[in-house]
Amino acid sequence: MGTTSGGAAAQAGTAWAVDSHTTLYCVIGDPVRHSKSPVMLNRAFQETGVNGMYIAFHIMKERLGDFAAGVRAMGIRGVNVTIPHKLDIMPFLDEIDESAEAIGAVNTIVNEDGRLIGFNTDGIGYVRSLKEEAEPELAGKHVLIVGAGGATRGILYALCKESPGRITIVNRTPERAQALAEAFKGSADLRAIGWDRLRDACAEADIVINTTPAGMHPNVDEVPFDPSWLKPGTVASDLIYNPLTTRFLSSAEDRGCRIHGGLGMFIYQGAYAFEYWTGVPAPVAAMRETVLEALGRER
Ligand code: NAP
């Protein structure tokens, strides 16, 4: 999908410079200054020679309509949407892709000649990362998801497409887990269980995914549940990437689990967005290297 933006100046291997052909891309959020998307996507433009430039805009909720009009007027080719605008941006778009419709949130916008199309690359980014970095074959696997917030919806959508044997969801507020299981019923063997059954569910799972923020910086000593419940050989996965290895993951590794952190999800959601906008394969390794450098500078 999409075409290489900018035209003449874009050639892989040539020096990257802004000129009058440069096409603009951006991320919007509130707050947005913590975002690693600009360093990651500008590196992608630099690596591929696509004549694009990517910046962060701090947009308040009440200005989303103005922002969408600005995207059309200025010909901004692609937008990433981050918290808290993933739902609120939807009424201002012309079309919502099936993925974003099912998930109920947009994190990527493609501007096709003034027509704004909303996509969601969070879930498929997570699953691509899980398959490439931890478990290539998800068919038939029993997946346990701990947490039932916004990120979980995208992951569920993408996991259901992989023919898992079963997906079990557990959440501190059980109604939210039940609502998710209901929303995706028919897409997989899905069930919601109470927190009191989490220990038993860990013993049965091939892959256990923490989608809660427990353990995220600065609360790095927190764990979502007792990691000693995990059995050796299980894939323990965490959406958190700050820190890169949470206490949940390091404890799981000590128990003989294979571990998978959240950085890959961030990289691949951006990689899909880049590919939707430009039609050029994303330089994933370079993007990862740049984000790791940026995270390292903050430590
Ligand atoms: P969210 O919508 O706020 O949902 C948070 C979920 O975690 C809720 O189900 C909540 O339960 C549960 N929870 C919160 N604190 C908990 C605790 N101490 N113990 C047990 N459960 C707890 O958040 P989100 O947007 O889904 O994000 C979740 C995590 O994913 C965050 O750490 C975020 O940074 C990460 N994330 C990573 C990426 C990436 O690219 N790697 C992308 C998106 C999100 P209740 O329903 O009971 O409140």
Side-chain angles (χ1 to χ4, degrees):
M1 162 200 283
T3 51
T4 304
S5 61
Q11 265 185 34
T14 60
W16 183 69
V18 173
D19 62 16
S20 50
H21 293 279
T22 302
T23 301
L24 192 58
Y25 300 79
C26 65
V27 57
I28 58 166
D30 174 27
V32 78
R33 299 295 165 216
H34 65 287
S35 174
K36 298 289 172 282
S37 292
V39 290
M40 177 168 76
L41 270 310
N42 280 317
R43 177 72 188 272
F45 290 125
Q46 206 172 341
E47 281 295 310
T48 55
V50 172
N51 192 1
M53 183 185 180
Y54 186 110
I55 57 178
F57 289 126
H58 184 189
I59 304 288
M60 313 300 274
K61 180 180 173 176
E62 55 277 13
R63 305 301 299 273
L64 285 174
D66 292 341
F67 170 75
V71 170
R72 292 185 183 93
M74 294 166 67
I76 294 176
R77 165 71 176 156
V79 181
N80 282 134
V81 183
T82 189
I83 288 169
H85 299 324
K86 292 184 184 189
L87 275 73
D88 295 327
I89 193 70
M90 292 172 79
F92 300 106
L93 306 181
D94 300 297
E95 190 181 325
I96 306 290
D97 167 74
E98 178 255 328
S99 63
E101 192 76 60
I103 294 163
V106 162
N107 82 324
T108 300
I109 302 169
V110 179
N111 179 358
E112 293 286 6
D113 298 325
R115 200 173 156 70
L116 304 191
I117 309 168
F119 294 84
N120 194 306
T121 66
D122 283 330
I124 53 174
Y126 172 79
V127 167
R128 186 158 149 193
S129 153
L130 180 67
K131 289 172 77 170
E132 293 199 5
E133 295 162 17
E135 179 53 77
E137 185 54 71
L138 300 179
K141 295 286 184 329
H142 182 171
V143 184
L144 171 62
I145 301 178
V146 183
T152 314
R153 272 190 92 87
I155 284 171
L156 253 184
Y157 168 82
L159 279 174
C160 285
K161 293 194 176 301
E162 299 290 328
S163 310
R166 175 184 281 174
I167 301 178
T168 304
I169 313 166
V170 60
N171 191 48
R172 187 173 62 178
T173 308
E175 295 76 21
R176 293 184 81 188
Q178 279 150 11
L180 272 187
E182 186 62 27
F184 288 91
K185 77 169 181 220
S187 311
D189 179 357
L190 256 181
R191 60 177 184 164
I193 60 165
W195 199 267
D196 56 328
R197 292 172 61 200
L198 174 55
R199 185 177 191 158
D200 291 341
C202 282
E204 291 168 14
D206 301 305
I207 302 166
V208 179
I209 308 168
N210 173 40
T211 72
T212 82
M216 188 164 71
H217 182 82
N219 305 313
V220 293
D221 289 328
E222 279 186 18
V223 284
F225 62 88
D226 185 347
S228 74
W229 296 351
L230 296 168
K231 67 174 194 288
T234 304
V235 173
S237 174
D238 203 325
L239 263 49
I240 296 169
Y241 64 88
N242 188 11
L244 292 170
T245 306
T246 56
R247 189 165 160 217
F248 170 66
L249 290 187
S250 58
S251 305
E253 193 168 35
D254 290 344
R255 289 199 47 77
C257 296
R258 289 181 284 153
I259 63 169
H260 170 248
L263 184 66
M265 173 176 180
F266 177 68
I267 306 291
Y268 282 115
Q269 62 77 31
Y272 275 118
F274 180 85
E275 290 168 3
Y276 288 0
W277 296 329
T278 67
V280 174
V284 174
M287 291 162 73
R288 183 186 298 269
E289 179 186 84
T290 295
V291 174
L292 281 170
E293 278 168 14
L295 289 170
R297 278 197 295 276
E298 287 177 2
R299 295 211 163 85

